Amino acid sequence: MGYYDEQDYQRPTRQKGLKRFSGLSAFFGAIVGGLIVLLMLPVFSNAGLLPYSLADNDTGDEVIEPNIPQEGLETVNVNVNSDVVKAVENVSDAVVGVINMHQSSVFSQEAGEGTGSGVIYKKAGDKAFVVTNHHVIDGANQIEVSLADGTRVPATLLGTDVITDLAVLEIDGSNIETVAEFGNSDLLRVGEPAIAIGNPLGLRFSSSVTQGIISATERSIPVDLTGNGQVDWHAEVLQTDAAINPGNSGGALVNIEGQVIGINSMKIAQGAVEGIGFAIPTGIALPVIEDLERYGEVQRPQLGVGIRSLSEIPSFHWQETLKLPESVKAGVVVTSVTPMSPAERAGLQEYDVIVEIDGEEIGDGHALRKFLYTEREIGDEVEVTVYRDGSKQTVTVQLAEQQNF
């Protein structure tokens, strides 16, 4: 028979009491938690946190119904028609192919240098008018225009301008329905969307669309117009990163409103260069187009002299032949004087070195042409400052219409 001391006897009694207390606490906690959940159900339902909704039936009892949307209660229409799509639709039918028929091979007409692009910009009666690039139709014996639906129609060359690289064609307009709208290139800002439409690599890819932005609004690109390796002119162009490939020349550069803001003209084609294309802005193109349509040429004022920039002349001749002061570092050398021209009537001579016109410094041939073509008009009188045999002189010349570049 064993013995228990007081501590041994009391320990089992305490443990049994604790177990009973814990069981009661859990029971009452479950009841309280269930009541809280039931009370909060309407709140959760109103907040949309339950996969079903609560509603009352006719007897007032609470009914739980699945929250399943019923067909026919709401229709959602999604319109994916973007601004770019609208812009392209507005003008794409007015962008055509221009085929230079000087090539002897039928197959090369659609894959070579004889195919470019153009833009129908006007319709008058049964005639329509197309603007393209000079270099697209240069040397053509015959020109055809391929319309948006693939129809080919013969074209008549109304006029061409090598300086701005623009030409105007006339075609039968009886089947022409879409005419491009010109926008104001002077209002363009860098970063605006730009959309190029044309026929890259020939008519196989006609009406191709590429998108980019206006990279720069005023770029001056040197151009050799005579093929002698010397810069004769600086073309004022828009720069864009919209892809412009061979065959895109003469096509449309369009803004987000579907307005033509430039005539695609050229790109920098170097292996290390990507996304640098150029277009003739409408601000420059429109006056040229009007002259070509009306007169067959661009009416510009001229002096009537042949010129070379002083920088093209070996420096040995600056003092020995031209007798220039050492302080004169720039100017335009008169290489010839056209008979019966304004220059001859004013007394200009061969080897005169033009340094100023109306007080504005003339540093090279480009500066002289730009001043005359953009700042003065036919019939204007100008003060021409020259160096002749080492002495500085000024003569007055009345500008006449330029006949040929």
Side-chain angles (χ1 to χ4, degrees), residues 226-242:
T226 58
N228 62 357
Q230 302 294 331
V231 175
D232 300 303
W233 183 246
H234 283 73
E236 305 299 324
V237 293
L238 301 170
Q239 180 183 333
T240 179
D241 65 347

Side-chain angles (χ1 to χ4, degrees), residues 107-146:
F107 300 104
S108 65
Q109 290 173 10
E110 291 195 10
E113 299 175 352
T115 303
S117 304
V119 180
I120 302 173
Y121 69 90
K122 178 181 176 181
K123 183 177 178 181
D126 60 350
K127 300 294 183 181
F129 300 86
V130 178
V131 58
T132 185
N133 286 146
H134 163 81
H135 75 261
V136 169
I137 52 81
D138 189 27
N141 297 323
Q142 184 180 349
I143 304 172
E144 285 187 352
V145 167
S146 176

Side-chain angles (χ1 to χ4, degrees), residues 12-33:
T13 305
R14 293 195 190 99
Q15 291 177 348
K16 292 180 181 179
L18 290 173
K19 289 180 181 179
R20 294 192 190 96
F21 180 80
S22 299
L24 291 173
S25 298
F27 175 76
F28 287 112
I31 293 175
V32 172

Side-chain angles (χ1 to χ4, degrees), residues 191-196 210-214 240-242 253-256 261:
E192 282 192 42
I195 306 163
T210 56
Q211 182 185 6
I213 61 171
I214 297 296
T240 179
D241 65 347
L253 190 68
V254 180
N255 63 16
I256 201 65
I261 41 88

Side-chain angles (χ1 to χ4, degrees), residues 385-396:
T385 301
V386 302
Y387 277 96
R388 180 184 301 165
D389 294 327
S391 64
K392 193 174 184 180
Q393 304 180 27
T394 299
V395 298
T396 301

Side-chain angles (χ1 to χ4, degrees), residues 303 305-315 317-337 343 347-357 360-365 368 383-395:
L303 294 172
V305 295
I307 60 173
R308 288 188 68 183
S309 298
L310 183 61
S311 59
E312 300 175 29
I313 307 297
S315 59
H317 291 290
W318 291 12
Q319 280 79 45
E320 295 296 324
T321 305
L322 302 175
K323 310 298 182 183
L324 290 173
E326 293 186 359
S327 60
V328 177
K329 304 295 183 183
V332 175
V333 180
V334 176
T335 60
S336 63
V337 178
L348 286 174
Q349 301 177 13
E350 184 182 19
Y351 294 162
D352 283 351
V353 180
I354 300 173
V355 292
E356 289 182 5
I357 298 181
E360 182 162 330
E361 293 185 0
I362 303 297
D364 54 26
L368 186 148
E383 299 294 321
V384 181
T385 301
V386 302
Y387 277 96
R388 180 184 301 165
D389 294 327
S391 64
K392 193 174 184 180
Q393 304 180 27
T394 299
V395 298

Side-chain angles (χ1 to χ4, degrees), residues 85 87-96 118 148 178 197 207 209 254 258:
V85 172
V88 172
E89 289 177 345
N90 284 342
V91 73
S92 60
D93 284 349
V95 179
V96 297
T178 304
I197 307 176
S207 301
V209 178
V254 180

